[in-house]
Amino acid sequence: MIVTARLTFSAAHRLHNPERDADWNLRMYGKDNNPAGHGHNYVITVSVKGRVNPETGMVIDLRELKDIVTRQVIDHVDHNNLNENVEFLRGIIPTAENMARAFWRQIAPAIRGGELVEIVLEETEKNSVVYRGEDEIPTTES
C-alpha cells in the first residue's frame, strides 16, 4: 500500500553555478540566473509504502507524515531564499532535481513504520521532478 501527502511552500532561488563564468550561467539558466533571484509556489508530494497496520488500519497516519514533511522540510524552506537561508541546501544549485534529492535525505530518516518511495516536486504547473531515491546508498541492517 502507498500513502501520499501533498503540501505546499513558497520560496525564492537563483540557479547559478559559482564554478562557471557569468556567460556560461546566463546561457545555461537564462532568466533563472537573475542575481536577485525569483520565486515559486512549490508543491511537494511525498509517498510512503508499507503494510497496513491491523490495529490502526493505516500504513502511516497522514497527520504524522505531514508533520514529518513540515518539520524536516517546509519549516526550513517556506518563504526563504533557498540559496542563502537553508542549511541543508547550502552549496547545492537549487534546481528541482537537487531539491527533491535533498528533501529525500531530510525526510527518509524520519519515517517510521513505512518506507519513503517517492517525492514529486512541482516547481510550476508545467514543471515537476520525481525522485525515488535512485542516488541513495542502501543501508544494511546488522
Side-chain angles (χ1 to χ4, degrees), residues 44-49 60 64-65 67-74 88 99-119 131-139 141:
I44 181 173
T45 306
V46 178
S47 297
V48 173
K49 179 180 178 180
I60 185 172
E64 178 185 350
L65 180 55
D67 287 347
I68 290 168
V69 176
T70 298
R71 186 175 58 252
Q72 299 299 114
V73 173
I74 305 293
F88 68 81
M99 290 168 57
R101 185 172 39 214
F103 294 170
W104 181 284
R105 292 174 180 163
Q106 291 296 114
I107 295 167
I111 301 292
R112 302 287 177 256
E115 174 189 1
L116 182 60
V117 292
E118 182 175 270
I119 291 178
Y131 186 62
R132 296 187 178 120
E134 303 86 350
D135 300 328
E136 305 310 307
I137 299 169
T139 58
E141 303 278 329

Side-chain angles (χ1 to χ4, degrees), residues 1 22 26 33 63 84 112:
M1 180 82 57
L26 185 59
N33 182 246
R63 288 173 303 186
E84 298 173 12
R112 302 287 177 256

Side-chain angles (χ1 to χ4, degrees), residues 89-127:
L89 292 175
R90 195 157 315 280
I92 296 172
I93 301 168
T95 60
E97 296 91 332
N98 282 337
M99 290 168 57
R101 185 172 39 214
F103 294 170
W104 181 284
R105 292 174 180 163
Q106 291 296 114
I107 295 167
I111 301 292
R112 302 287 177 256
E115 174 189 1
L116 182 60
V117 292
E118 182 175 270
I119 291 178
V120 178
L121 183 63
E122 295 177 40
E123 190 173 65
T124 72
E125 290 180 355
K126 298 178 182 179
N127 302 321

Side-chain angles (χ1 to χ4, degrees), residues 40-61:
H40 296 285
N41 294 316
Y42 293 91
V43 176
I44 181 173
T45 306
V46 178
S47 297
V48 173
K49 179 180 178 180
R51 294 191 180 278
V52 175
N53 179 322
E55 183 177 26
T56 66
M58 298 182 276
V59 171
I60 185 172
D61 184 331

